[in-house]
Amino acid sequence: MIKDIVVNLTIGVERDAAANYAVSLASIFKAHLVGVAFVYDPKVSVNLIVGIPAELIDAQRAATKHLANEAVARFKELGKQAGVMTESQMIDVAPGHVGDTFGRLARSFDLSVIRQAEPNKAEQEVPIIEGALFESGRSVIVVPYVQTQGAKFNCVMVGWDGSRTAARAIGDAMPVLERAKMIEVFTVVAGPTKNTELPGIDIGQHLSRHGLKVEVKRIPADGINVPEAILSHAADISADFMVMGGYGHSRLREYVLGGATRGILASMTLPTLMSN
């Protein structure tokens, strides 16, 4: 069951895709929703801090707090309009600690909702997503920063590669899958396979035993990268939600090897539930 959700409120934007999506999600599941806005300490080099007036540092912190207050006010109004029970928090944090801070906070919720990092804000926003994945022990829904629609589960894609993280994501997503009109379990195939092979049939049967309507598909990825193949297929079938395992390696190893997770996070076109 999904009864307790936390959303990271994006400061400095007119419309927060994560906040809007989280409110619609909480409305569907009749869940309690907590919005968290971070007030960042000014990022100043240790070598320069001696020469910077304290007034300037205080002004920068005050400006950030003003943006956080605006984000909280928008969030409260969204909740009020939707009839969703909300709470809000503002947390002072150093930029380098935001991921771990959010990850620890998210442990006390069923799931977290976070906006996809914009390219020009990746340094600030990606650590929050990583913190939720690595530190919370809970699932996270990442919402494209261009998302305009609320939560819908008409066609849900479920990624399956037989891994522990994929199995964990499916288990965490069951409240969503139970509301889906159609579920497609997909496996990405990058090389030749036997015609009789249909990866994912076992997990498809498992979901069918829960009374869910499931199709199992292979997505060929010859000549294009895996994230591109997945997102292209999502567009073809008009999927409105996706479920997949998160990073399968340590953060450093994933950075070196790349992977579908980072590719999806960079180019995502639909809200995606990830578990690690």
Side-chain angles (χ1 to χ4, degrees):
M1 297 176 67
I2 298 175
K3 289 299 178 184
D4 208 10
I5 302 170
V6 61
V7 56
N8 174 61
L9 302 178
T10 309
I11 67 173
V13 296
E14 292 185 6
R15 185 184 186 281
D16 185 354
N20 281 266
Y21 193 87
V23 167
S24 70
L25 195 69
S27 179
I28 290 173
F29 288 99
K30 302 296 186 288
H32 183 262
L33 180 62
V34 175
V36 176
F38 287 107
V39 179
Y40 293 92
D41 293 333
K43 190 174 182 180
V44 181
S45 170
V46 175
N47 296 326
L48 297 177
I49 194 169
V50 175
I52 297 179
E55 294 81 1
L56 179 58
I57 295 176
D58 290 341
Q60 291 178 353
R61 184 179 289 110
T64 303
K65 188 170 185 177
H66 175 72
L67 293 176
N69 275 315
E70 288 184 336
V72 167
R74 286 193 299 268
F75 171 69
K76 288 181 177 179
E77 183 60 26
L78 286 171
K80 181 179 178 181
Q81 292 175 0
V84 171
M85 185 181 299
T86 64
E87 291 182 24
S88 59
Q89 298 180 23
M90 287 200 303
I91 300 176
D92 294 320
V93 66
H97 296 157
V98 65
D100 290 342
T101 300
F102 187 82
R104 289 193 298 270
L105 181 72
R107 292 171 189 169
S108 301
F109 295 84
D110 294 320
L111 62 82
S112 56
V113 179
I114 304 172
R115 193 185 75 146
Q116 173 200 21
E118 286 192 61
N120 62 341
K121 297 181 179 179
E123 183 180 359
Q124 178 176 302
E125 297 179 345
V126 167
I128 300 176
I129 299 173
E130 291 189 338
L133 273 173
F134 282 98
E135 304 297 338
S136 73
R138 301 287 189 159
S139 56
V140 54
I141 294 177
V142 184
V143 181
Y145 62 80
V146 296
Q147 181 80 14
T148 58
Q149 295 183 330
K152 295 194 303 181
F153 311 118
N154 294 324
C155 179
V156 177
M157 291 176 60
V158 176
W160 181 250
D161 59 3
S163 67
R164 179 194 65 80
T165 57
R168 169 70 187 278
I170 289 173
D172 289 346
M174 284 303 294
V176 169
L177 299 180
E178 289 169 351
R179 291 176 176 267
K181 294 181 179 178
M182 201 281 278
I183 300 167
E184 180 180 291
V185 174
F186 70 90
T187 300
V188 179
V189 180
T193 60
K194 297 178 182 178
N195 290 334
T196 56
E197 291 182 359
L198 189 57
I201 192 67
D202 49 354
I203 197 68
Q205 290 173 339
H206 166 69
L207 293 174
S208 295
R209 294 185 186 109
H210 282 266
L212 305 180
K213 183 180 179 181
V214 181
E215 294 184 9
V216 179
K217 295 284 184 67
R218 287 183 294 193
I219 300 178
D222 293 326
I224 59 175
N225 63 42
V226 170
E228 184 179 338
I230 293 172
L231 295 176
S232 176
H233 184 72
D236 289 343
I237 66 172
S238 299
D240 45 40
F241 195 82
M242 183 160 62
V243 176
M244 64 182 291
Y247 293 81
H249 311 288
S250 69
R251 273 182 262 199
L252 176 61
R253 184 169 174 80
E254 183 69 18
Y255 177 79
V256 173
L257 297 180
T261 307
R262 286 198 302 119
I264 293 295
L265 288 174
S267 306
M268 67 190 318
T269 54
L270 72 170
T272 301
L273 182 147
M274 294 182 176
S275 297
N276 197 43

PDB file of all heavy atoms in Angstrom, residues 34-49:
ATOM      1  N   VAL A  34       4.244  14.679   2.103  1.00  0.00           N
ATOM      2  CA  VAL A  34       5.145  15.640   2.724  1.00  0.00           C
ATOM      3  C   VAL A  34       6.056  16.232   1.650  1.00  0.00           C
ATOM      4  O   VAL A  34       6.692  15.491   0.884  1.00  0.00           O
ATOM      5  CB  VAL A  34       6.008  14.977   3.823  1.00  0.00           C
ATOM      6  CG1 VAL A  34       7.034  15.970   4.372  1.00  0.00           C
ATOM      7  CG2 VAL A  34       5.118  14.455   4.950  1.00  0.00           C
ATOM      8  N   GLY A  35       6.101  17.543   1.570  1.00  0.00           N
ATOM      9  CA  GLY A  35       6.992  18.227   0.640  1.00  0.00           C
ATOM     10  C   GLY A  35       8.213  18.756   1.366  1.00  0.00           C
ATOM     11  O   GLY A  35       8.100  19.361   2.433  1.00  0.00           O
ATOM     12  N   VAL A  36       9.393  18.525   0.787  1.00  0.00           N
ATOM     13  CA  VAL A  36      10.644  18.958   1.399  1.00  0.00           C
ATOM     14  C   VAL A  36      11.347  19.932   0.464  1.00  0.00           C
ATOM     15  O   VAL A  36      11.607  19.613  -0.695  1.00  0.00           O
ATOM     16  CB  VAL A  36      11.570  17.769   1.684  1.00  0.00           C
ATOM     17  CG1 VAL A  36      12.912  18.258   2.234  1.00  0.00           C
ATOM     18  CG2 VAL A  36      10.920  16.811   2.667  1.00  0.00           C
ATOM     19  N   ALA A  37      11.620  21.112   0.963  1.00  0.00           N
ATOM     20  CA  ALA A  37      12.371  22.115   0.202  1.00  0.00           C
ATOM     21  C   ALA A  37      13.712  22.346   0.897  1.00  0.00           C
ATOM     22  O   ALA A  37      13.755  22.624   2.098  1.00  0.00           O
ATOM     23  CB  ALA A  37      11.588  23.427   0.115  1.00  0.00           C
ATOM     24  N   PHE A  38      14.786  22.226   0.141  1.00  0.00           N
ATOM     25  CA  PHE A  38      16.117  22.414   0.708  1.00  0.00           C
ATOM     26  C   PHE A  38      16.564  23.867   0.548  1.00  0.00           C
ATOM     27  O   PHE A  38      16.426  24.459  -0.524  1.00  0.00           O
ATOM     28  CB  PHE A  38      17.131  21.487   0.033  1.00  0.00           C
ATOM     29  CG  PHE A  38      16.978  20.041   0.431  1.00  0.00           C
ATOM     30  CD1 PHE A  38      16.453  19.115  -0.460  1.00  0.00           C
ATOM     31  CD2 PHE A  38      17.339  19.623   1.697  1.00  0.00           C
ATOM     32  CE1 PHE A  38      16.303  17.783  -0.088  1.00  0.00           C
ATOM     33  CE2 PHE A  38      17.190  18.299   2.080  1.00  0.00           C
ATOM     34  CZ  PHE A  38      16.666  17.376   1.181  1.00  0.00           C
ATOM     35  N   VAL A  39      17.081  24.391   1.636  1.00  0.00           N
ATOM     36  CA  VAL A  39      17.688  25.725   1.622  1.00  0.00           C
ATOM     37  C   VAL A  39      19.194  25.506   1.607  1.00  0.00           C
ATOM     38  O   VAL A  39      19.789  25.087   2.602  1.00  0.00           O
ATOM     39  CB  VAL A  39      17.277  26.547   2.861  1.00  0.00           C
ATOM     40  CG1 VAL A  39      17.937  27.922   2.822  1.00  0.00           C
ATOM     41  CG2 VAL A  39      15.759  26.683   2.920  1.00  0.00           C
ATOM     42  N   TYR A  40      19.815  25.779   0.464  1.00  0.00           N
ATOM     43  CA  TYR A  40      21.226  25.460   0.291  1.00  0.00           C
ATOM     44  C   TYR A  40      22.120  26.556   0.854  1.00  0.00           C
ATOM     45  O   TYR A  40      21.879  27.753   0.641  1.00  0.00           O
ATOM     46  CB  TYR A  40      21.549  25.275  -1.198  1.00  0.00           C
ATOM     47  CG  TYR A  40      20.882  24.063  -1.805  1.00  0.00           C
ATOM     48  CD1 TYR A  40      19.644  24.162  -2.420  1.00  0.00           C
ATOM     49  CD2 TYR A  40      21.506  22.822  -1.754  1.00  0.00           C
ATOM     50  CE1 TYR A  40      19.028  23.055  -2.980  1.00  0.00           C
ATOM     51  CE2 TYR A  40      20.904  21.703  -2.304  1.00  0.00           C
ATOM     52  CZ  TYR A  40      19.667  21.822  -2.913  1.00  0.00           C
ATOM     53  OH  TYR A  40      19.063  20.724  -3.458  1.00  0.00           O
ATOM     54  N   ASP A  41      23.151  26.106   1.573  1.00  0.00           N
ATOM     55  CA  ASP A  41      24.182  27.047   1.991  1.00  0.00           C
ATOM     56  C   ASP A  41      24.924  27.536   0.752  1.00  0.00           C
ATOM     57  O   ASP A  41      25.119  26.770  -0.201  1.00  0.00           O
ATOM     58  CB  ASP A  41      25.177  26.368   2.938  1.00  0.00           C
ATOM     59  CG  ASP A  41      24.547  25.988   4.271  1.00  0.00           C
ATOM     60  OD1 ASP A  41      23.579  26.655   4.656  1.00  0.00           O
ATOM     61  OD2 ASP A  41      25.024  25.018   4.896  1.00  0.00           O
ATOM     62  N   PRO A  42      25.340  28.790   0.733  1.00  0.00           N
ATOM     63  CA  PRO A  42      26.093  29.295  -0.422  1.00  0.00           C
ATOM     64  C   PRO A  42      27.331  28.438  -0.673  1.00  0.00           C
ATOM     65  O   PRO A  42      28.023  28.040   0.270  1.00  0.00           O
ATOM     66  CB  PRO A  42      26.474  30.714  -0.012  1.00  0.00           C
ATOM     67  CG  PRO A  42      25.443  31.091   1.001  1.00  0.00           C
ATOM     68  CD  PRO A  42      25.124  29.821   1.740  1.00  0.00           C
ATOM     69  N   LYS A  43      27.569  28.140  -1.946  1.00  0.00           N
ATOM     70  CA  LYS A  43      28.730  27.326  -2.299  1.00  0.00           C
ATOM     71  C   LYS A  43      29.915  28.250  -2.542  1.00  0.00           C
ATOM     72  O   LYS A  43      30.017  28.895  -3.578  1.00  0.00           O
ATOM     73  CB  LYS A  43      28.430  26.498  -3.556  1.00  0.00           C
ATOM     74  CG  LYS A  43      29.480  25.448  -3.848  1.00  0.00           C
ATOM     75  CD  LYS A  43      29.046  24.566  -5.014  1.00  0.00           C
ATOM     76  CE  LYS A  43      30.073  23.466  -5.277  1.00  0.00           C
ATOM     77  NZ  LYS A  43      29.651  22.597  -6.412  1.00  0.00           N
ATOM     78  N   VAL A  44      30.790  28.308  -1.552  1.00  0.00           N
ATOM     79  CA  VAL A  44      31.926  29.226  -1.609  1.00  0.00           C
ATOM     80  C   VAL A  44      33.207  28.439  -1.393  1.00  0.00           C
ATOM     81  O   VAL A  44      33.297  27.618  -0.476  1.00  0.00           O
ATOM     82  CB  VAL A  44      31.810  30.330  -0.531  1.00  0.00           C
ATOM     83  CG1 VAL A  44      32.991  31.282  -0.625  1.00  0.00           C
ATOM     84  CG2 VAL A  44      30.498  31.078  -0.684  1.00  0.00           C
ATOM     85  N   SER A  45      34.187  28.666  -2.216  1.00  0.00           N
ATOM     86  CA  SER A  45      35.486  28.007  -2.076  1.00  0.00           C
ATOM     87  C   SER A  45      36.136  28.384  -0.755  1.00  0.00           C
ATOM     88  O   SER A  45      36.076  29.541  -0.318  1.00  0.00           O
ATOM     89  CB  SER A  45      36.406  28.395  -3.247  1.00  0.00           C
ATOM     90  OG  SER A  45      37.725  27.947  -3.006  1.00  0.00           O
ATOM     91  N   VAL A  46      36.761  27.388  -0.116  1.00  0.00           N
ATOM     92  CA  VAL A  46      37.454  27.642   1.156  1.00  0.00           C
ATOM     93  C   VAL A  46      38.533  28.697   0.971  1.00  0.00           C
ATOM     94  O   VAL A  46      38.793  29.515   1.859  1.00  0.00           O
ATOM     95  CB  VAL A  46      38.073  26.333   1.684  1.00  0.00           C
ATOM     96  CG1 VAL A  46      38.887  26.610   2.940  1.00  0.00           C
ATOM     97  CG2 VAL A  46      36.986  25.313   1.965  1.00  0.00           C
ATOM     98  N   ASN A  47      39.154  28.725  -0.197  1.00  0.00           N
ATOM     99  CA  ASN A  47      40.231  29.677  -0.454  1.00  0.00           C
ATOM    100  C   ASN A  47      39.721  31.106  -0.616  1.00  0.00           C
ATOM    101  O   ASN A  47      40.482  32.059  -0.480  1.00  0.00           O
ATOM    102  CB  ASN A  47      40.992  29.278  -1.723  1.00  0.00           C
ATOM    103  CG  ASN A  47      41.687  27.937  -1.574  1.00  0.00           C
ATOM    104  OD1 ASN A  47      42.143  27.584  -0.499  1.00  0.00           O
ATOM    105  ND2 ASN A  47      41.760  27.185  -2.662  1.00  0.00           N
ATOM    106  N   LEU A  48      38.420  31.242  -0.911  1.00  0.00           N
ATOM    107  CA  LEU A  48      37.879  32.572  -1.169  1.00  0.00           C
ATOM    108  C   LEU A  48      37.028  33.114  -0.030  1.00  0.00           C
ATOM    109  O   LEU A  48      36.745  34.299   0.021  1.00  0.00           O
ATOM    110  CB  LEU A  48      37.031  32.547  -2.455  1.00  0.00           C
ATOM    111  CG  LEU A  48      37.766  32.212  -3.745  1.00  0.00           C
ATOM    112  CD1 LEU A  48      36.759  32.149  -4.902  1.00  0.00           C
ATOM    113  CD2 LEU A  48      38.850  33.241  -4.058  1.00  0.00           C
ATOM    114  N   ILE A  49      36.585  32.218   0.874  1.00  0.00           N
ATOM    115  CA  ILE A  49      35.589  32.617   1.866  1.00  0.00           C
ATOM    116  C   ILE A  49      36.075  33.751   2.768  1.00  0.00           C
ATOM    117  O   ILE A  49      35.282  34.591   3.223  1.00  0.00           O
ATOM    118  CB  ILE A  49      35.162  31.400   2.716  1.00  0.00           C
ATOM    119  CG1 ILE A  49      33.894  31.743   3.508  1.00  0.00           C
ATOM    120  CG2 ILE A  49      36.284  30.955   3.649  1.00  0.00           C
ATOM    121  CD1 ILE A  49      33.256  30.529   4.152  1.00  0.00           C
TER     122      ILE A  49
END
